[in-house]
Amino acid sequence: MIVRTKLHIPHVRRELVARPRLIRTLNEGMKVKLTHVSAQAGYGKTTALGQWTKQCGAPVAWVSLDTRDNDYIQFWSGVTASIQERVPGFGEAICSFLEKGLWASLEHAIPALLNDLDRFPSELAVVLDDYHFIESPDIHNSLTYLLERLPSHIHLYMASRSELPIPTARLMAKGEYNQITMQDLRFQLDEGQVFFQVTTDLRLTSEQVAELHYQTEGWISGLELAAISLKQSANIADTIHQFNGRQHHISDYLLEEVFHHQSEEMRSFLIATSILSRMNQSLCQAVTGQKNSQQYLERLEQMNLFIIPLDDQREWYRYHHLFSEFLQRMGSITDPDNWVQAHRNAACWLENYGLDEDAMEHFLAGQHYADAVRLIEKNLHMLVQSQSIVLIRWVSALPEYSFAEKPMVELFYISVLFGVGKWEAASLRIEQAQGRFQALKENLTDAEWKQAMGNIYFFSAVTSYLQKDLVKTSEYYELVEQYMPEGSFFQTMRRYQYVGYDPFVDFFAYINDLHAADAFLSRWAVALEKKANYPFAGFFLASYSKLLYEWNRLEEAEFYASQALGRRDIQPFVRIFIQVATSASTIQQALGNPNQASELLAELKSQIDSPDYQLFTLKIEAEQACLALRQGAAEDAFVWLQGCGLAHTDEVSLHQVLEYLALARVLAASGQLEEALDLLGRLNQLLRKEDRLRDRIKVLIMQSVVLQRLGRTADALTQLETALQLAEPHGYVRSFVDEGAEISELLTAYLKTRSSNPIPNTPMVSLAYVRQLLQALQVTTEGFISFKEILTEQETKVLQLIADGLPNKAIALHLTITSETVKYHIKNVYRKLGVNNRVLALQRARELGILG
């Protein structure tokens, strides 16, 4: 929920000091992308920006940030809402992505925002106040991306107490960075003179103002505090002389002076309400118990006592950060019990008004952990679906004992850690939770305990899977079956949602060892397929069909894909069903049924029932573009190229590897070979770094094809050999076969080169494997020189007997030759194969297809 007062430009008092020099510097920000206003608390960052907005002449969107904006979706929702305050209807595209959850937002939200900003009809300034509260790397990275591509008529102003955690050197080098520092913000002496003349009733001499200015170094809040203190002083000259320190000491001294000059009732009100990030009369009354809270608020504003109206109606206020921090320190020290109770009162009021997130912050701050856990349980499903970072922050702030007997809180927390990629943290909590859950057996019903154990074993299986230990994964699935044969809610959580790159659904995007995968999938595809209402079975059936397809076992692959397609329980689970349908389409194309392949993808688009429909269709349309190329309908693929919104210069990530593979393929088909090669090179780097074997093999194969089209045959064969070396141990076939005639030519050229030019002492691809691929491509290998022809018939017999384990004397007896003749043949074999011992000779002979 967006708190609307955060989007209001703070109220500016009429009697403020005019600051033309500072305003001119702020105006320079309308010529650049980024203006950073940087200074510690009390230097007037917010006030200066508020003054500037009144004379800017362009629309200004404003967001006052706080710690609760450390959530990607919350942050960008606030930014978008602030622009909508000025331009109703703005940002429908980004809003739709933000509503879809974290993964959809990370991939698509900022590009959508940039597109909308690019269409903005006039200049626009966006102010992010108090950015020092933001610590999220995702937010920092997205802002960096935004600034690199920000249209020239959009200007970002950021105010913070510290240096920005985003790179600014490039902007500075391009003249796109305007920095306003503490030196720019502090009052000059003439401004200090005007301040005391215009905003106070004090009659100070020029010398006294000069002394105050010197003592405070032009620190605006210091001068304001001094003015408040001097109004209550019996001897102004003596009070001024007592200011004997710099900023830190002056602030503590003056704040204490101002605070202690208030009535006891006012001090109590100030301390109790200092915990509030924003307040109105009703909330203040709930926290303090004082029915005349509105009078206190108005009195504080009349005294200029560091209170800021947040709306023109004077309904909502907040304290200056400097003042609230001082009051909170005082409250926690002088009256900790009442301070804790104030947090509880605030939390109860906020929860009653539906502001659960704000209420939670107060329950945690006041250490009311039972209420905090209750509020988490109340909002579990919503938090997991759309506010993962918030849930992590909340549970991390709770002591373990507070939810020790709440297994569902722990389980949801673990699921969120997995969802945001914190796999190690999730694994540690799973290990700890297993023992705790075992101990809960006497405290829970049998059904509750079995559900808790089944779920924790499911998450243990997930951890093993992420470690690529499929044997251990299978053992944990056996335990899941024992405790929870009906399956776990967490197996199909977020079934309608788009989650970007998902190793839990696209099995072979993550698991490299196809033989280990075969043992795992064949076991569980058969076991779970028998269950009538078990949608998670679709994961195994789709994955197994893909494995069998890669090994060119098409009829078996079709069987398992058809089994999955026919299951009604899978269809509502969009993320799984897409894997099933796209696999089935690929299989039908390979079986020579192009119409059925096309229909499967077209029907898939019409069957998706998800709020993330648009995101899912982007992936389906990329599949359709690749299918169009295979079917010879290049024009359809080129239409997709024009409207897909992707470019070869984009920054690539795991989240959209398949879409960018499709882009590279269509670019190459349209003759944009260099662009395709550039994109493939960056994909190869990414996939090598992330150890994603399947997709890296596909990229290497495509690189070899593109290089061949560019006439760079030697480079093409080098990339092809790398692909073959990676693919052979796992038996990849269709990744090569699906490239058709061009890969046939390259494999043929590779086979000819290798047959005539053996390379000694290097790891080599088995020529038998190359012939297997060519056979699958229905290319005859007759006529190629074989290494069997390089060795004589007798040398080949000797080599075979060595492989059978016979010593030289036994070989001589078997072939009816002398031992010396055997040694002669072995020496020739070593020379021809480029080796120097029996073990290497046998290894090389198998690589070259001489021995079976």
Side-chain angles (χ1 to χ4, degrees):
M1 178 185 294
I2 304 297
V3 180
R4 308 313 296 186
T5 53
K6 289 163 59 74
L7 312 180
H8 296 170
I9 298 172
H11 179 75
V12 176
R13 298 200 309 268
R14 291 181 181 176
E15 64 272 18
L16 279 176
V17 176
R19 307 198 64 190
R21 285 187 295 263
L22 181 57
I23 295 300
R24 282 196 297 271
T25 309
L26 286 165
N27 280 334
E28 290 298 310
M30 296 301 285
K31 301 175 184 177
V32 300
K33 288 185 177 182
L34 174 63
T35 294
H36 179 208
V37 184
S38 173
Q40 289 302 309
Y43 274 91
K45 299 182 295 294
T46 301
T47 302
L49 285 166
Q51 276 185 286
W52 171 78
T53 63
K54 300 303 180 185
Q55 56 80 63
C56 170
V60 178
W62 184 290
V63 188
S64 296
L65 300 168
D66 57 42
T67 54
R68 278 156 287 192
D69 295 303
N70 252 315
D71 175 276
Y72 186 94
I73 295 174
Q74 173 79 10
F75 178 89
W76 286 111
S77 296
V79 172
T80 306
S82 72
I83 301 174
Q84 291 172 336
E85 287 278 303
R86 307 292 173 262
V87 188
F90 175 87
E92 291 182 2
I94 182 176
C95 288
S96 69
F97 289 123
L98 292 169
E99 289 168 1
K100 298 178 194 311
L102 183 60
W103 287 115
S105 301
L106 286 172
E107 287 186 36
H108 301 286
I110 303 306
L113 177 60
L114 283 166
N115 288 336
D116 285 345
L117 290 172
D118 191 50
R119 291 190 289 268
F120 199 82
S122 64
E123 298 233 290
L124 173 69
V126 179
V127 178
L128 303 179
D129 195 19
D130 292 327
Y131 191 78
H132 51 269
F133 285 118
I134 304 302
E135 299 174 350
S136 163
D138 285 337
I139 295 175
H140 299 329
N141 293 338
S142 62
L143 261 176
T144 301
Y145 181 92
L146 180 87
L147 282 164
E148 287 173 353
R149 296 159 178 82
L150 198 66
S152 59
H153 62 289
I154 308 298
H155 313 281
L156 187 61
Y157 286 73
M158 299 173 67
S160 71
R161 297 183 187 178
S162 56
E163 290 300 312
L164 291 176
I166 59 177
T168 56
R170 188 180 302 176
L171 290 171
M172 193 178 299
K174 292 181 178 179
E176 292 287 358
Y177 181 62
N178 179 35
Q179 187 169 26
I180 295 174
T181 65
M182 190 167 62
Q183 294 297 115
D184 301 304
L185 290 165
R186 67 171 82 244
F187 272 170
Q188 299 299 313
L189 179 56
D190 61 332
E191 292 172 323
Q193 298 278 4
V194 174
F195 168 76
F196 280 103
Q197 291 170 8
V198 172
T199 66
T200 75
D201 297 328
L202 297 167
R203 295 292 179 261
L204 303 182
T205 67
S206 297
E207 290 76 15
Q208 287 173 328
V209 172
E211 186 171 356
L212 284 170
H213 182 270
Y214 172 75
Q215 290 286 8
T216 60
E217 296 181 323
W219 179 46
I220 297 170
S221 288
L223 292 171
E224 290 177 330
L225 280 166
I228 296 170
S229 181
L230 290 171
K231 286 180 183 179
Q232 298 159 343
S233 172
N235 191 321
I236 288 177
D238 285 350
T239 302
I240 291 174
H241 289 310
Q242 289 172 14
F243 298 164
N244 56 3
R246 295 301 187 201
Q247 177 182 325
H248 176 71
H249 299 97
I250 289 176
S251 69
D252 287 349
Y253 169 75
L254 290 176
L255 285 168
E256 288 180 22
E257 281 286 302
V258 170
F259 179 72
H260 287 298
H261 273 94
Q262 307 306 312
S263 66
E264 185 176 344
E265 292 80 5
M266 179 62 85
R267 288 201 300 270
S268 175
F269 180 87
L270 287 169
I271 284 179
T273 56
S274 69
I275 65 170
L276 303 172
S277 58
R278 60 192 62 83
M279 54 196 169
N280 65 3
Q281 179 271 331
S282 176
L283 179 52
C284 289
Q285 181 176 329
V287 170
T288 66
Q290 306 223 24
K291 295 182 179 180
N292 56 344
S293 293
Q294 185 65 30
Q295 295 174 20
Y296 280 105
L297 293 171
E298 292 172 1
R299 172 66 179 148
L300 289 170
E301 187 180 5
Q302 290 165 6
M303 294 166 60
N304 289 334
L305 197 57
F306 292 92
I307 189 167
I308 301 168
L310 297 178
D311 54 36
D312 292 334
Q313 292 75 36
R314 299 297 201 276
E315 181 181 356
W316 286 92
Y317 295 84
R318 74 168 173 86
Y319 291 123
H320 190 289
H321 296 310
L322 190 74
F323 195 38
S324 66
E325 289 164 9
F326 165 79
L327 292 171
Q328 287 177 42
R329 287 197 303 272
M330 292 287 291
S332 62
I333 295 169
T334 61
D335 197 357
D337 292 339
N338 282 336
W339 198 66
V340 167
Q341 184 59 43
H343 276 296
R344 179 173 180 76
N345 294 343
C348 292
W349 186 94
L350 291 161
E351 184 181 3
N352 187 51
Y353 279 86
L355 300 171
D356 286 3
E357 189 172 343
D358 295 277
M360 185 66 177
E361 301 297 335
H362 288 287
F363 280 137
L364 290 173
Q367 300 182 2
H368 300 287
Y369 298 130
D371 284 305
V373 172
R374 174 184 57 76
L375 206 56
I376 288 175
E377 289 184 298
K378 171 183 169 184
N379 291 285
L380 263 179
H381 286 270
M382 180 273 293
L383 289 166
V384 170
Q385 296 291 345
S386 62
Q387 291 187 287
S388 302
I389 304 301
V390 173
L391 180 59
I392 289 174
R393 178 161 55 83
W394 287 354
V395 177
S396 300
L398 290 169
E400 295 287 341
Y401 70 80
S402 65
F403 57 96
E405 297 188 7
K406 303 283 187 179
M408 286 308 291
V409 173
E410 179 72 71
L411 291 166
F412 271 92
Y413 182 45
I414 289 169
S415 77
V416 166
L417 289 173
F418 277 126
V420 299
K422 295 188 175 184
W423 297 349
E424 290 184 9
S427 178
L428 180 61
R429 294 203 72 90
I430 290 166
E431 188 177 334
Q432 296 167 345
Q434 280 192 26
R436 289 206 307 270
F437 285 14
Q438 287 279 5
L440 288 175
K441 186 171 185 179
E442 303 303 320
N443 299 354
L444 302 175
T445 66
D446 186 60
E448 288 172 337
W449 182 73
K450 284 184 175 180
Q451 185 183 52
M453 294 306 301
N455 278 313
I456 204 64
Y457 286 134
F458 168 69
F459 283 130
S460 299
V462 170
T463 296
S464 298
Y465 172 77
L466 291 171
Q467 295 167 349
K468 302 188 179 183
D469 185 345
L470 294 182
V471 173
K472 199 72 176 174
T473 304
S474 195
E475 291 173 2
Y476 279 121
Y477 275 138
E478 295 281 4
L479 289 168
V480 174
E481 285 290 285
Q482 177 184 334
Y483 283 92
M484 204 165 50
E486 73 282 2
S488 166
F489 160 80
F490 294 102
Q491 290 174 330
T492 49
M493 193 171 64
R494 297 194 183 109
R495 63 183 185 176
Y496 304 114
Q497 284 188 291
Y498 175 88
V499 292
Y501 172 77
D502 189 353
F504 306 107
V505 172
D506 194 354
F507 187 91
F508 293 108
Y510 189 72
I511 297 297
N512 294 341
D513 187 341
L514 298 196
H515 299 294
D518 180 35
F520 175 75
L521 290 172
S522 59
R523 157 80 178 88
W524 289 102
V526 172
L528 299 181
E529 193 276 328
K530 299 172 184 175
K531 297 195 175 196
N533 188 23
Y534 200 90
F536 195 52
F539 165 77
F540 294 94
L541 293 168
S543 298
Y544 198 37
S545 73
K546 288 183 179 185
L547 172 61
L548 294 168
Y549 175 81
E550 185 57 57
W551 282 349
N552 210 25
R553 291 159 59 180
L554 299 183
E555 287 76 14
E556 293 171 85
E558 182 185 27
F559 171 80
Y560 283 102
S562 298
Q563 289 290 308
L565 277 176
R567 293 180 67 108
R568 291 185 178 180
D569 57 343
I570 292 175
Q571 293 181 12
F573 292 80
V574 178
R575 287 188 294 136
I576 295 175
F577 190 64
I578 281 181
Q579 297 295 322
V580 171
T582 53
S583 176
S585 171
T586 304
I587 293 166
Q588 290 305 317
Q589 177 65 24
L591 287 170
N593 302 317
N595 291 338
Q596 193 169 343
S598 299
E599 287 168 6
L600 279 165
L601 294 182
E603 289 173 3
L604 177 60
K605 285 178 71 174
S606 66
Q607 290 171 333
I608 292 175
D609 181 15
S610 165
D612 297 347
Y613 175 84
Q614 183 182 357
L615 296 173
F616 285 121
T617 56
L618 292 175
K619 291 194 175 294
I620 298 169
E621 287 167 359
E623 291 276 357
Q624 288 177 309
C626 294
L627 182 62
L629 290 179
R630 287 191 185 126
Q631 295 179 351
E635 287 302 319
D636 292 341
F638 298 158
V639 170
W640 171 82
L641 180 63
Q642 296 301 315
C644 68
L646 305 176
H648 77 278
T649 54
D650 291 346
E651 184 178 345
V652 294
S653 69
L654 287 177
H655 303 304
Q656 289 185 287
V657 164
L658 295 180
E659 288 95 317
Y660 280 105
L661 278 170
L663 177 66
R665 190 178 298 281
V666 180
L667 283 170
S670 68
Q672 300 178 63
L673 299 177
E674 293 291 352
E675 291 83 351
L677 197 61
D678 173 68
L679 175 57
L680 289 167
R682 288 183 291 112
L683 282 169
N684 188 25
Q685 290 177 351
L686 170 69
L687 295 166
R688 182 174 185 175
K689 175 186 173 185
E690 299 291 341
D691 189 29
R692 302 297 191 258
L693 184 63
R694 178 200 68 182
D695 293 333
R696 187 174 174 224
I697 289 170
K698 290 180 182 295
V699 166
L700 287 164
I701 294 169
M702 289 174 63
Q703 282 181 309
S704 67
V705 170
V706 173
L707 287 164
Q708 175 71 355
R709 291 186 196 175
L710 287 167
R712 296 165 56 183
T713 302
D715 293 335
L717 293 176
T718 298
Q719 293 301 94
L720 177 62
E721 183 165 57
T722 303
L724 290 166
Q725 288 170 344
L726 294 172
E728 183 180 6
H730 304 286
Y732 277 84
V733 176
R734 292 302 312 190
S735 290
F736 293 91
V737 171
D738 288 343
E739 297 298 324
E742 288 180 298
I743 205 67
S744 296
E745 293 175 11
L746 279 166
L747 286 167
T748 301
Y750 178 80
L751 187 61
K752 287 180 178 178
T753 301
R754 280 283 312 283
S755 297
S756 58
N757 297 296
I759 307 171
N761 299 320
T762 59
M764 299 177 73
V765 177
S766 163
L767 294 188
Y769 177 53
V770 180
R771 290 192 179 95
Q772 176 192 347
L773 294 177
L774 285 169
Q775 185 176 7
L777 283 155
Q778 299 182 336
V779 176
T780 178
T781 58
E782 293 180 7
F784 292 133
I785 298 173
S786 167
F787 276 106
K788 290 182 179 178
E789 298 172 22
I790 293 175
L791 298 182
T792 66
E793 182 179 352
Q794 192 75 327
E795 288 166 353
T796 302
K797 289 179 180 179
V798 169
L799 189 60
Q800 184 61 59
L801 292 170
I802 290 173
D804 293 339
L806 273 63
N808 285 2
K809 287 184 179 180
I811 293 173
L813 286 173
H814 188 85
L815 295 178
T816 319
I817 57 177
T818 67
S819 294
E820 290 301 315
T821 303
V822 170
K823 291 179 182 177
Y824 173 78
H825 286 315
I826 291 174
K827 184 177 178 182
N828 282 339
V829 168
Y830 287 175
R831 176 177 57 80
K832 291 180 179 181
L833 297 184
V835 297
N836 57 15
N837 61 56
R838 289 187 174 212
V839 173
L840 291 176
L842 294 175
Q843 179 181 331
R844 184 55 54 88
R846 291 190 178 99
E847 288 176 351
L848 301 177
I850 296 171
L851 297 178

